[in-house]
Amino acid sequence: MTPQEELALISTTFTDITDLQRGQMKALWELYTDWNSKINVISRKDIEHLYLHHILHSLGILKVLKFAPQTKVIDVGTGGGFPGIPLAIMLPEVEFTLVDSIGKKIKVAENVANAIGLSNVTTYHTRVENLKEQCHFVVTRATMPLAELVKLSRHLISKEQFNALPNGFIALKGGNLAGELSSFGKKAMEEELYPFLPDLYFKEKKVVYLPL
């Protein structure tokens, strides 16, 4: 698929997308290709599939939970802003904090968020274990094993509850997760992304939800 066809797939998958959100999504192509030419946040050959492999994949979290307004979400190991920036576009009434320990990557995320006018995004250049923020959910995209994520970031989770699911962790993962999730027993919920995201790229992609 061309980038234009991949962008169109977002609109057909999320039919409630507004013209403003569609425009913000469209602007991401030029922003990320420009930044990626200076700072390698997406592999050179993968940037051609920005919308499919990075933006639409990030939005897969919405299969598990569409966060309620005023929810606070922390994106751990956000890199150039995934899944945080695509989610922030689609959920303007949700507060997103994007965290990464690599300064040049968080610089890209911050600049992209500012360029498209995302007032619901805050960025931090720090290690997650040093973060003092509170949130209802921690999200991440394949940054570390789930057990390690829980260990490093459980102090961030607030006791205040008002979403359809209890506060906890939502991670985008791929492949066979039996070993990684075995220590959590039946607490961890594993959701296939295909055919919710209607492309064969997502056949092996999953969303894992773990309540705290």
Side-chain angles (χ1 to χ4, degrees), residues 122-136:
T122 305
T123 58
Y124 282 101
H125 172 211
T126 187
R127 298 182 67 84
V128 64
E129 57 266 38
N130 298 328
L131 198 64
K132 300 291 192 283
E133 299 287 308
Q134 286 277 283
C135 68
H136 303 101

Side-chain angles (χ1 to χ4, degrees), residues 72-138:
K72 294 181 179 179
V73 178
I74 295 180
D75 176 6
V76 173
T78 189
F82 304 105
I85 284 177
L87 289 170
I89 291 173
M90 294 300 290
L91 302 170
E93 296 181 336
V94 175
E95 296 177 41
F96 289 88
T97 300
L98 278 50
V99 182
D100 206 282
S101 62
I102 300 173
K104 63 183 181 180
K105 290 186 176 182
I106 203 70
K107 177 185 176 184
V108 174
E110 180 179 13
N111 278 272
V112 169
N114 289 339
I116 60 173
L118 290 180
S119 59
N120 59 332
V121 169
T122 305
T123 58
Y124 282 101
H125 172 211
T126 187
R127 298 182 67 84
V128 64
E129 57 266 38
N130 298 328
L131 198 64
K132 300 291 192 283
E133 299 287 308
Q134 286 277 283
C135 68
H136 303 101
F137 291 91
V138 167

